[in-house]
Amino acid sequence: MYDYLIVGAGLAGTTFARAMADKGKKCIVIDRRSHIGGNIYSETIEGIEVHKYGPHIFHTDSETVWEFVNRFSSFNHFVYSPIANYKGELYNLPFNMNTFHALWGCVTPDEAKRKIFEQQRKSGIKEPKNLEEQAVMLVGQDIYEKLVKGYTEKQWGKPCRELPAYIIRRLPVRFTFDNNYFNHPYQGIPIGGYTKMIKRMLDGIEIRLNTDYLQNKAEYENIAAKIIYTGAIDEYFDYCFGELEYRSLRFETEIFDIDNYQGTAGVNYTDRETPYTRIIEHKHFQFGKGNKEKTVITREYPVSWKRGDEPYYPVNDKKNMRLYEQYKEKSQESRKVIFAGRMGAYQYFDMDKVIASALELAEKELERKA
């Protein structure tokens, strides 16, 4: 008999399992995939550590979370500074003085502020009715057209005029020459990769892979006092109220017999015509270390989600949030099953927020048992 059955060997399930095992609780972790790590899984290809499910840059302002992950891996000093490619024109992200100089030739912050204010005023938008109006109101027409519109329409599969304004509540605008995308004090990539870090987190904890909990409920329902479920909440309940909507991704990975393909880890393609949203060159996460004769890139294509696909981005509009509330209410009927992680909460979380939430859940469980 186990104290906890954790369904999902991703970051949420792994963090919870580690926290409870550290307190002497007997845990077992199962996952339907053939590997640990969930979407942060990485593997070595041609001597290069490759992020199989899209790039994951660890960043946080939480000392607690940073201390926790550093128990299991040392981190390099990688800082994400992506480039935007608009029909061959290159701009720095996030929007900063380097961007404004390339767009308008602005040299001082005052010049850039006046340019944006002029375009905001010219738009005449006071209460934005859709994402396009929201973006123009925040950053002006030029930035919207070149750096927001095409990328966003590819990401969500709809014209910006048909997307709700709340998707872009704010857009990061910095009036400094700073290309640091996340602006958090603690940043980096685990040395040796995320899979190595997760393996250390699960040290001493029983793991069973290639095991689908929902297909084996009878076998696993009663082997633990409690179940932590980190999968999709609607799938758990067999979509009894209907499907929650997501956007998914398709990855196209290619190996080149060259040392350096694009000169940086991430290039976003912000025009509408290019079918992918970005190209990731994985060796740059480790400062070009690894195979000097090869490089590995991944093109990222947003796609509509259907059952069987990996759900990446929840579509948190009013319709879906009403549906989620039904599932949330139903989930509270069980005292044995606890829903955790991004799919349990139907929210997109950065990695540090996933860890913080799992640690908080572990604390609550320990307090309850005390």
Coordinates of all heavy atoms in Angstrom, one line a residue, residues 52-134:
K52 N 12.7 18.2 -26.5 CA 11.8 17.4 -27.4 C 10.5 18.1 -27.6 O 9.8 17.9 -28.6 CB 11.7 16.0 -27.0 CG 12.9 15.1 -27.1 CD 13.2 14.9 -28.6 CE 12.3 13.9 -29.2 NZ 12.6 13.6 -30.6
Y53 N 10.0 18.8 -26.6 CA 8.6 19.3 -26.6 C 8.7 20.9 -26.6 O 7.8 21.5 -25.9 CB 7.8 18.8 -25.5 CG 7.6 17.3 -25.5 CD1 8.5 16.5 -24.8 CD2 6.7 16.6 -26.3 CE1 8.4 15.1 -24.8 CE2 6.5 15.3 -26.3 CZ 7.4 14.5 -25.6 OH 7.3 13.1 -25.6
G54 N 9.6 21.4 -27.2 CA 9.7 22.9 -27.2 C 10.7 23.4 -26.2 O 11.0 22.7 -25.2
P55 N 11.2 24.6 -26.4 CA 12.2 25.1 -25.5 C 11.7 25.4 -24.1 O 10.6 25.9 -23.9 CB 12.7 26.4 -26.2 CG 11.5 26.8 -26.9 CD 10.8 25.6 -27.4
H56 N 12.5 25.0 -23.1 CA 12.2 25.3 -21.7 C 13.4 26.0 -21.0 O 14.4 25.4 -20.8 CB 11.8 24.0 -21.0 CG 10.5 23.4 -21.4 ND1 10.4 22.7 -22.5 CD2 9.3 23.6 -20.8 CE1 9.1 22.3 -22.6 NE2 8.4 22.9 -21.6
I57 N 13.2 27.3 -20.8 CA 14.2 28.1 -20.1 C 13.8 28.3 -18.7 O 12.7 28.9 -18.4 CB 14.5 29.4 -20.8 CG1 15.0 29.2 -22.2 CG2 15.5 30.3 -20.0 CD1 13.9 29.2 -23.3
F58 N 14.6 27.8 -17.7 CA 14.1 28.0 -16.3 C 14.4 29.4 -15.9 O 15.5 29.9 -16.0 CB 14.8 27.0 -15.4 CG 14.1 26.8 -14.1 CD1 13.2 25.8 -14.0 CD2 14.4 27.6 -13.0 CE1 12.5 25.7 -12.8 CE2 13.7 27.5 -11.9 CZ 12.7 26.5 -11.7
H59 N 13.4 30.0 -15.3 CA 13.5 31.4 -14.8 C 12.5 31.6 -13.6 O 11.4 31.1 -13.6 CB 13.3 32.4 -15.9 CG 11.9 32.3 -16.5 ND1 10.8 33.0 -16.1 CD2 11.5 31.5 -17.5 CE1 9.8 32.7 -16.9 NE2 10.2 31.7 -17.7
T60 N 13.0 32.3 -12.6 CA 12.1 32.5 -11.4 C 12.6 33.6 -10.6 O 13.8 34.0 -10.6 CB 12.0 31.2 -10.5 OG1 11.1 31.4 -9.5 CG2 13.4 30.9 -9.9
D61 N 11.8 34.2 -9.8 CA 12.2 35.2 -8.8 C 12.0 34.6 -7.4 O 12.1 35.3 -6.4 CB 11.4 36.5 -8.9 CG 9.9 36.3 -8.9 OD1 9.4 35.2 -8.6 OD2 9.2 37.3 -9.2
S62 N 11.7 33.3 -7.3 CA 11.5 32.6 -6.0 C 12.7 32.0 -5.5 O 13.2 31.0 -6.2 CB 10.3 31.6 -6.1 OG 10.3 30.8 -5.0
E63 N 13.3 32.4 -4.4 CA 14.4 31.8 -3.8 C 14.1 30.3 -3.4 O 15.0 29.4 -3.5 CB 14.9 32.6 -2.6 CG 15.6 33.9 -3.0 CD 16.2 34.6 -1.8 OE1 16.3 33.9 -0.7 OE2 16.5 35.8 -1.9
T64 N 12.9 30.1 -2.9 CA 12.5 28.7 -2.5 C 12.6 27.8 -3.7 O 13.2 26.7 -3.6 CB 11.1 28.7 -1.9 OG1 11.1 29.6 -0.8 CG2 10.7 27.3 -1.5
V65 N 12.0 28.2 -4.8 CA 12.0 27.3 -6.0 C 13.4 27.1 -6.5 O 13.8 26.0 -6.9 CB 11.1 27.9 -7.1 CG1 11.2 27.2 -8.4 CG2 9.6 27.8 -6.6
W66 N 14.2 28.2 -6.6 CA 15.6 28.1 -7.1 C 16.4 27.2 -6.2 O 17.2 26.4 -6.7 CB 16.2 29.5 -7.1 CG 17.5 29.6 -7.8 CD1 18.7 30.0 -7.2 CD2 17.9 29.3 -9.1 NE1 19.7 30.0 -8.1 CE2 19.2 29.5 -9.3 CE3 17.1 28.8 -10.2 CZ2 19.9 29.3 -10.5 CZ3 17.8 28.6 -11.4 CH2 19.2 28.9 -11.5
E67 N 16.3 27.2 -4.9 CA 17.0 26.4 -4.0 C 16.6 24.9 -4.2 O 17.4 24.0 -4.2 CB 16.8 26.8 -2.6 CG 17.5 28.0 -2.2 CD 17.1 28.5 -0.8 OE1 16.4 27.8 -0.1 OE2 17.6 29.6 -0.4
F68 N 15.3 24.7 -4.5 CA 14.8 23.3 -4.7 C 15.4 22.7 -5.9 O 15.9 21.6 -5.9 CB 13.2 23.4 -4.8 CG 12.6 22.0 -5.1 CD1 12.4 21.1 -4.0 CD2 12.2 21.7 -6.4 CE1 11.9 19.9 -4.3 CE2 11.7 20.4 -6.6 CZ 11.5 19.5 -5.6
V69 N 15.3 23.4 -7.1 CA 15.9 22.8 -8.3 C 17.4 22.6 -8.3 O 17.9 21.7 -8.9 CB 15.4 23.6 -9.6 CG1 13.9 23.5 -9.7 CG2 15.9 25.0 -9.5
N70 N 18.1 23.5 -7.5 CA 19.5 23.4 -7.4 C 20.0 22.2 -6.6 O 21.2 21.9 -6.5 CB 20.1 24.7 -6.9 CG 20.4 25.6 -8.1 OD1 21.5 25.6 -8.7 ND2 19.4 26.5 -8.4
R71 N 19.0 21.6 -5.9 CA 19.3 20.3 -5.2 C 19.7 19.2 -6.2 O 20.4 18.2 -5.9 CB 18.2 19.9 -4.3 CG 17.9 20.7 -3.0 CD 16.7 20.2 -2.3 NE 16.7 18.7 -2.1 CZ 15.6 18.0 -1.7 NH1 14.4 18.7 -1.5 NH2 15.7 16.7 -1.5
F72 N 19.1 19.3 -7.4 CA 19.1 18.2 -8.3 C 20.0 18.5 -9.6 O 20.2 17.6 -10.4 CB 17.7 17.8 -8.7 CG 16.8 17.7 -7.5 CD1 15.9 18.7 -7.2 CD2 16.9 16.6 -6.7 CE1 15.1 18.6 -6.1 CE2 16.1 16.5 -5.6 CZ 15.2 17.5 -5.3
S73 N 20.3 19.7 -9.8 CA 21.1 20.1 -10.9 C 21.8 21.4 -10.7 O 21.3 22.3 -10.1 CB 20.3 20.1 -12.2 OG 21.0 20.5 -13.3
S74 N 23.0 21.5 -11.3 CA 23.6 22.9 -11.4 C 23.1 23.5 -12.7 O 22.7 22.8 -13.7 CB 25.1 22.7 -11.5 OG 25.7 22.2 -10.4
F75 N 22.9 24.8 -12.7 CA 22.4 25.5 -13.9 C 23.5 26.4 -14.5 O 24.3 27.0 -13.8 CB 21.2 26.4 -13.4 CG 19.9 25.6 -13.2 CD1 19.8 24.8 -12.1 CD2 18.9 25.7 -14.1 CE1 18.6 24.0 -11.9 CE2 17.7 25.0 -13.9 CZ 17.6 24.2 -12.8
N76 N 23.4 26.5 -15.8 CA 24.3 27.4 -16.5 C 23.7 28.8 -16.4 O 22.7 29.0 -15.8 CB 24.6 27.0 -17.9 CG 23.4 27.0 -18.8 OD1 22.4 27.7 -18.5 ND2 23.5 26.4 -20.0
H77 N 24.4 29.8 -17.0 CA 23.9 31.2 -16.9 C 23.2 31.6 -18.2 O 23.3 32.8 -18.5 CB 25.1 32.1 -16.6 CG 26.2 32.0 -17.6 ND1 27.1 31.0 -17.6 CD2 26.6 32.9 -18.6 CE1 28.0 31.2 -18.6 NE2 27.7 32.3 -19.2
F78 N 22.6 30.7 -18.9 CA 21.9 31.1 -20.1 C 20.8 32.1 -19.8 O 20.0 32.0 -18.9 CB 21.2 29.8 -20.7 CG 20.5 30.1 -22.0 CD1 21.1 30.3 -23.2 CD2 19.1 30.3 -21.9 CE1 20.4 30.6 -24.4 CE2 18.4 30.6 -23.1 CZ 19.0 30.7 -24.3
V79 N 20.7 33.1 -20.6 CA 19.6 34.1 -20.6 C 19.0 34.2 -22.0 O 19.7 34.3 -23.0 CB 20.2 35.5 -20.2 CG1 19.1 36.6 -20.4 CG2 20.7 35.5 -18.8
Y80 N 17.7 34.0 -22.0 CA 17.0 34.0 -23.3 C 16.9 35.3 -23.9 O 16.3 36.3 -23.3 CB 15.6 33.4 -23.1 CG 14.9 32.9 -24.4 CD1 15.6 32.3 -25.4 CD2 13.5 33.1 -24.6 CE1 15.0 31.8 -26.5 CE2 12.9 32.7 -25.7 CZ 13.6 32.0 -26.7 OH 13.0 31.6 -27.8
S81 N 17.4 35.5 -25.1 CA 17.3 36.8 -25.9 C 16.9 36.5 -27.3 O 17.8 36.5 -28.2 CB 18.7 37.5 -25.8 OG 19.1 37.7 -24.5
P82 N 15.7 36.2 -27.6 CA 15.2 35.8 -28.9 C 15.2 36.9 -29.9 O 15.2 38.1 -29.5 CB 13.8 35.2 -28.7 CG 13.3 36.0 -27.5 CD 14.5 36.2 -26.6
I83 N 15.3 36.5 -31.2 CA 15.2 37.5 -32.3 C 13.9 37.3 -33.0 O 13.4 36.2 -33.2 CB 16.4 37.2 -33.3 CG1 17.7 37.5 -32.6 CG2 16.3 38.1 -34.5 CD1 18.0 38.9 -32.2
A84 N 13.3 38.4 -33.5 CA 12.1 38.4 -34.3 C 12.5 38.6 -35.7 O 13.3 39.5 -36.1 CB 11.1 39.4 -33.9
N85 N 12.0 37.7 -36.6 CA 12.3 37.8 -38.1 C 11.0 38.1 -38.8 O 10.1 37.3 -38.8 CB 12.9 36.5 -38.6 CG 13.3 36.6 -40.1 OD1 12.6 37.2 -40.9 ND2 14.4 35.9 -40.4
Y86 N 10.9 39.4 -39.3 CA 9.7 39.8 -40.0 C 10.1 40.0 -41.5 O 10.7 41.0 -41.8 CB 9.1 41.1 -39.4 CG 7.9 41.6 -40.3 CD1 6.7 41.0 -40.1 CD2 8.0 42.6 -41.1 CE1 5.6 41.4 -40.9 CE2 7.0 43.1 -41.9 CZ 5.7 42.5 -41.8 OH 4.7 42.9 -42.5
K87 N 9.8 39.0 -42.3 CA 10.1 39.0 -43.7 C 11.6 39.4 -44.0 O 11.9 40.2 -44.9 CB 9.2 40.0 -44.4 CG 7.7 39.6 -44.3 CD 6.8 40.6 -45.1 CE 5.4 40.1 -44.9 NZ 4.4 41.0 -45.7
G88 N 12.5 38.9 -43.2 CA 13.9 39.2 -43.3 C 14.4 40.3 -42.5 O 15.7 40.5 -42.4
E89 N 13.5 41.1 -41.9 CA 14.0 42.2 -41.0 C 14.1 41.6 -39.6 O 13.2 40.8 -39.2 CB 12.9 43.3 -41.0 CG 12.7 44.0 -42.3 CD 11.5 45.0 -42.3 OE1 11.1 45.3 -41.1 OE2 11.1 45.4 -43.3
L90 N 15.2 41.9 -38.9 CA 15.5 41.3 -37.6 C 15.3 42.4 -36.5 O 15.8 43.5 -36.6 CB 16.9 40.8 -37.6 CG 17.2 39.7 -38.6 CD1 18.7 39.2 -38.4 CD2 16.3 38.5 -38.5
Y91 N 14.6 41.9 -35.4 CA 14.4 42.8 -34.3 C 14.6 42.1 -33.0 O 14.4 40.9 -32.9 CB 12.9 43.3 -34.3 CG 12.6 44.1 -35.6 CD1 12.0 43.5 -36.6 CD2 12.9 45.5 -35.7 CE1 11.6 44.2 -37.8 CE2 12.6 46.2 -36.8 CZ 12.0 45.5 -37.9 OH 11.7 46.2 -39.0
N92 N 15.1 42.8 -32.0 CA 15.3 42.2 -30.7 C 13.9 42.1 -29.9 O 13.1 42.9 -30.0 CB 16.2 43.0 -29.8 CG 17.7 42.9 -30.3 OD1 18.2 43.8 -31.0 ND2 18.3 41.8 -30.1
L93 N 13.8 41.0 -29.1 CA 12.7 40.8 -28.2 C 13.3 40.6 -26.8 O 14.4 40.1 -26.6 CB 11.9 39.6 -28.6 CG 11.2 39.6 -30.0 CD1 10.6 38.2 -30.3 CD2 10.2 40.7 -30.0
P94 N 12.5 41.1 -25.8 CA 11.2 41.8 -25.9 C 11.4 43.2 -26.4 O 12.5 43.6 -26.6 CB 10.7 41.8 -24.4 CG 12.0 41.8 -23.6 CD 12.9 40.9 -24.4
F95 N 10.3 43.9 -26.7 CA 10.4 45.2 -27.3 C 11.2 46.1 -26.4 O 10.8 46.4 -25.2 CB 9.0 45.8 -27.4 CG 8.0 44.8 -28.1 CD1 6.7 44.7 -27.6 CD2 8.3 44.0 -29.1 CE1 5.8 43.9 -28.2 CE2 7.4 43.2 -29.7 CZ 6.1 43.1 -29.2
N96 N 12.3 46.6 -26.9 CA 13.2 47.5 -26.1 C 13.9 48.5 -27.0 O 13.5 48.6 -28.2 CB 14.2 46.6 -25.3 CG 15.1 45.9 -26.2 OD1 15.9 46.5 -27.0 ND2 15.1 44.5 -26.2
M97 N 14.8 49.2 -26.5 CA 15.4 50.3 -27.3 C 16.1 49.8 -28.5 O 16.2 50.5 -29.5 CB 16.4 51.1 -26.4 CG 15.7 52.0 -25.4 SD 14.6 53.2 -26.2 CE 15.8 54.1 -27.2
N98 N 16.7 48.5 -28.5 CA 17.2 48.0 -29.7 C 16.2 47.8 -30.8 O 16.4 48.0 -32.0 CB 17.9 46.6 -29.4 CG 19.2 46.8 -28.5 OD1 20.0 47.6 -28.9 ND2 19.2 46.0 -27.4
T99 N 15.0 47.3 -30.3 CA 13.9 47.2 -31.3 C 13.4 48.5 -31.8 O 13.2 48.6 -33.1 CB 12.6 46.5 -30.5 OG1 13.1 45.5 -29.6 CG2 11.6 46.0 -31.5
F100 N 13.3 49.5 -31.0 CA 12.8 50.8 -31.4 C 13.9 51.5 -32.4 O 13.5 52.2 -33.3 CB 12.5 51.7 -30.2 CG 11.6 51.1 -29.2 CD1 11.8 51.3 -27.9 CD2 10.6 50.2 -29.6 CE1 11.0 50.7 -26.9 CE2 9.8 49.6 -28.7 CZ 10.0 49.8 -27.3
H101 N 15.1 51.3 -32.1 CA 16.1 51.8 -33.0 C 16.0 51.2 -34.4 O 16.1 51.9 -35.4 CB 17.5 51.6 -32.4 CG 18.6 52.3 -33.3 ND1 19.3 51.6 -34.2 CD2 19.1 53.5 -33.3 CE1 20.2 52.4 -34.8 NE2 20.1 53.6 -34.3
A102 N 15.9 49.9 -34.4 CA 15.7 49.2 -35.7 C 14.5 49.6 -36.4 O 14.5 49.7 -37.7 CB 15.8 47.7 -35.5
L103 N 13.4 49.8 -35.7 CA 12.1 50.2 -36.3 C 12.1 51.6 -36.8 O 11.7 51.9 -37.9 CB 11.0 50.0 -35.3 CG 10.3 48.6 -35.2 CD1 9.4 48.6 -34.0 CD2 9.5 48.3 -36.5
W104 N 12.5 52.5 -35.9 CA 12.3 54.0 -36.2 C 13.6 54.8 -36.1 O 13.5 56.0 -36.4 CB 11.3 54.5 -35.2 CG 10.0 53.8 -35.1 CD1 9.2 53.5 -36.1 CD2 9.4 53.3 -33.9 NE1 8.1 52.8 -35.6 CE2 8.2 52.7 -34.3 CE3 9.7 53.4 -32.5 CZ2 7.3 52.1 -33.4 CZ3 8.8 52.8 -31.6 CH2 7.6 52.2 -32.0
G105 N 14.7 54.2 -35.8 CA 15.9 55.0 -35.6 C 16.0 55.7 -34.3 O 16.9 56.6 -34.2
C106 N 15.2 55.4 -33.4 CA 15.2 56.1 -32.1 C 16.5 55.8 -31.3 O 16.9 54.7 -31.3 CB 14.0 55.7 -31.2 SG 12.4 56.1 -31.9
V107 N 17.0 56.9 -30.7 CA 18.3 56.8 -30.0 C 18.0 56.9 -28.5 O 18.7 56.3 -27.7 CB 19.3 57.8 -30.5 CG1 20.5 57.8 -29.6 CG2 19.6 57.6 -31.9
T108 N 17.0 57.7 -28.1 CA 16.8 57.9 -26.7 C 15.4 57.4 -26.3 O 14.5 57.2 -27.2 CB 16.8 59.4 -26.3 OG1 15.6 60.1 -27.0 CG2 18.1 60.1 -26.8
P109 N 15.2 57.0 -25.0 CA 13.9 56.6 -24.5 C 12.8 57.6 -24.8 O 11.7 57.2 -25.2 CB 14.1 56.4 -23.0 CG 15.6 56.1 -22.9 CD 16.2 56.9 -24.0
D110 N 13.0 58.9 -24.7 CA 12.0 59.9 -25.0 C 11.5 59.8 -26.4 O 10.3 59.9 -26.7 CB 12.5 61.3 -24.6 CG 12.5 61.6 -23.2 OD1 11.8 60.8 -22.4 OD2 13.1 62.6 -22.7
E111 N 12.5 59.6 -27.3 CA 12.1 59.5 -28.8 C 11.2 58.3 -29.0 O 10.1 58.4 -29.7 CB 13.3 59.3 -29.6 CG 14.2 60.6 -29.8 CD 15.4 60.3 -30.6 OE1 16.1 59.4 -30.3 OE2 15.6 61.0 -31.6
A112 N 11.5 57.2 -28.4 CA 10.7 56.0 -28.5 C 9.3 56.1 -27.9 O 8.3 55.7 -28.5 CB 11.4 54.8 -27.9
K113 N 9.3 56.7 -26.7 CA 8.0 56.9 -26.0 C 7.1 57.8 -26.8 O 5.9 57.6 -27.0 CB 8.2 57.6 -24.6 CG 8.8 56.6 -23.6 CD 9.1 57.3 -22.3 CE 9.8 56.4 -21.3 NZ 10.1 57.1 -20.0
R114 N 7.7 58.9 -27.4 CA 6.9 59.8 -28.3 C 6.3 59.1 -29.5 O 5.2 59.3 -29.9 CB 7.7 61.0 -28.7 CG 7.9 62.0 -27.6 CD 8.4 63.4 -28.1 NE 9.6 63.3 -28.9 CZ 10.8 63.4 -28.3 NH1 10.9 63.7 -27.0 NH2 11.9 63.4 -29.1
K115 N 7.1 58.2 -30.1 CA 6.7 57.5 -31.3 C 5.5 56.6 -30.9 O 4.5 56.5 -31.7 CB 7.9 56.7 -31.8 CG 7.6 56.1 -33.2 CD 7.6 57.1 -34.3 CE 7.4 56.5 -35.6 NZ 7.4 57.5 -36.7
I116 N 5.6 55.8 -29.8 CA 4.6 54.9 -29.5 C 3.3 55.7 -29.1 O 2.2 55.4 -29.5 CB 5.0 54.0 -28.3 CG1 6.1 53.1 -28.8 CG2 3.8 53.2 -27.7 CD1 6.7 52.2 -27.7
F117 N 3.5 56.8 -28.3 CA 2.3 57.6 -27.9 C 1.6 58.2 -29.1 O 0.4 58.2 -29.1 CB 2.8 58.7 -26.9 CG 1.7 59.6 -26.5 CD1 0.7 59.2 -25.6 CD2 1.6 60.9 -27.1 CE1 -0.3 60.1 -25.3 CE2 0.5 61.8 -26.8 CZ -0.4 61.3 -25.8
E118 N 2.4 58.6 -30.1 CA 1.8 59.2 -31.3 C 0.9 58.2 -32.0 O -0.2 58.5 -32.4 CB 2.9 59.7 -32.2 CG 2.5 60.2 -33.6 CD 3.6 60.4 -34.5 OE1 4.7 60.8 -34.0 OE2 3.5 60.2 -35.7
Q119 N 1.4 56.9 -32.1 CA 0.6 55.9 -32.7 C -0.6 55.5 -31.9 O -1.7 55.2 -32.4 CB 1.5 54.7 -33.1 CG 2.5 55.0 -34.1 CD 3.3 53.8 -34.6 OE1 2.9 52.7 -34.3 NE2 4.3 54.0 -35.5
Q120 N -0.4 55.5 -30.6 CA -1.6 55.1 -29.7 C -2.7 56.2 -29.9 O -3.8 55.9 -30.0 CB -1.1 55.1 -28.2 CG -0.2 53.9 -27.9 CD 0.4 54.0 -26.6 OE1 0.7 55.1 -26.1 NE2 0.7 52.9 -25.9
R121 N -2.3 57.5 -29.9 CA -3.2 58.6 -30.0 C -3.9 58.5 -31.3 O -5.1 58.7 -31.4 CB -2.5 59.9 -29.8 CG -3.4 61.1 -29.8 CD -2.6 62.4 -29.7 NE -1.6 62.5 -30.7 CZ -1.8 62.8 -32.0 NH1 -3.0 63.1 -32.4 NH2 -0.7 62.9 -32.8
K122 N -3.1 58.3 -32.4 CA -3.7 58.2 -33.7 C -4.7 57.1 -33.9 O -5.7 57.3 -34.7 CB -2.6 58.1 -34.7 CG -3.0 58.2 -36.2 CD -1.8 58.1 -37.1 CE -2.2 58.3 -38.6 NZ -1.0 58.2 -39.5
S123 N -4.6 56.0 -33.2 CA -5.5 54.9 -33.3 C -6.9 55.3 -32.8 O -7.9 54.7 -33.2 CB -5.0 53.7 -32.5 OG -5.1 53.8 -31.1
G124 N -7.0 56.2 -31.8 CA -8.2 56.6 -31.3 C -8.9 55.5 -30.4 O -10.1 55.7 -30.0
I125 N -8.2 54.4 -30.1 CA -8.8 53.3 -29.3 C -8.8 53.7 -27.8 O -7.8 54.0 -27.3 CB -8.1 52.0 -29.6 CG1 -8.1 51.6 -31.1 CG2 -8.6 50.9 -28.7 CD1 -7.1 50.5 -31.4
K126 N -10.0 53.6 -27.2 CA -10.2 53.8 -25.8 C -10.5 52.5 -25.1 O -10.0 52.3 -24.0 CB -11.3 54.9 -25.6 CG -11.0 56.2 -26.2 CD -9.7 56.9 -25.7 CE -9.5 58.3 -26.4 NZ -8.3 58.9 -25.9
E127 N -11.5 51.8 -25.6 CA -11.9 50.5 -25.0 C -11.7 49.4 -26.1 O -12.6 49.3 -26.9 CB -13.3 50.6 -24.5 CG -13.5 51.6 -23.3 CD -14.9 51.6 -22.8 OE1 -15.7 50.7 -23.2 OE2 -15.2 52.5 -22.0
P128 N -10.7 48.7 -26.0 CA -10.4 47.7 -27.1 C -11.5 46.6 -27.1 O -11.8 46.0 -26.0 CB -9.0 47.1 -26.7 CG -8.9 47.4 -25.3 CD -9.6 48.7 -25.0
K129 N -12.0 46.3 -28.3 CA -13.0 45.2 -28.4 C -12.4 43.9 -28.8 O -13.1 42.9 -28.8 CB -14.0 45.7 -29.4 CG -14.7 47.0 -29.1 CD -15.7 47.4 -30.2 CE -16.5 48.7 -29.9 NZ -15.5 49.8 -29.8
N130 N -11.2 43.8 -29.2 CA -10.5 42.6 -29.6 C -9.0 42.7 -29.4 O -8.5 43.7 -29.0 CB -10.9 42.3 -31.1 CG -10.5 43.4 -32.0 OD1 -9.4 43.9 -32.1 ND2 -11.5 43.9 -32.8
L131 N -8.3 41.6 -29.7 CA -6.9 41.6 -29.5 C -6.1 42.6 -30.3 O -5.2 43.2 -29.9 CB -6.4 40.2 -29.8 CG -4.9 39.9 -29.4 CD1 -4.7 38.4 -29.0 CD2 -3.9 40.2 -30.6
E132 N -6.6 42.8 -31.6 CA -5.9 43.8 -32.4 C -5.9 45.2 -31.8 O -4.9 45.8 -31.7 CB -6.5 43.8 -33.8 CG -5.9 44.8 -34.8 CD -6.4 44.8 -36.2 OE1 -6.3 43.7 -36.8 OE2 -7.0 45.8 -36.6
E133 N -7.1 45.6 -31.4 CA -7.2 46.9 -30.8 C -6.5 47.0 -29.5 O -5.9 48.0 -29.2 CB -8.7 47.2 -30.6 CG -9.5 47.4 -31.9 CD -10.9 47.8 -31.7 OE1 -11.4 47.9 -30.5 OE2 -11.6 48.1 -32.7
Q134 N -6.5 45.9 -28.7 CA -5.7 45.9 -27.5 C -4.2 46.1 -27.7 O -3.6 46.9 -27.0 CB -6.0 44.6 -26.7 CG -5.2 44.4 -25.4 CD -5.7 45.2 -24.3 OE1 -6.9 45.3 -24.1 NE2 -4.8 45.9 -23.6

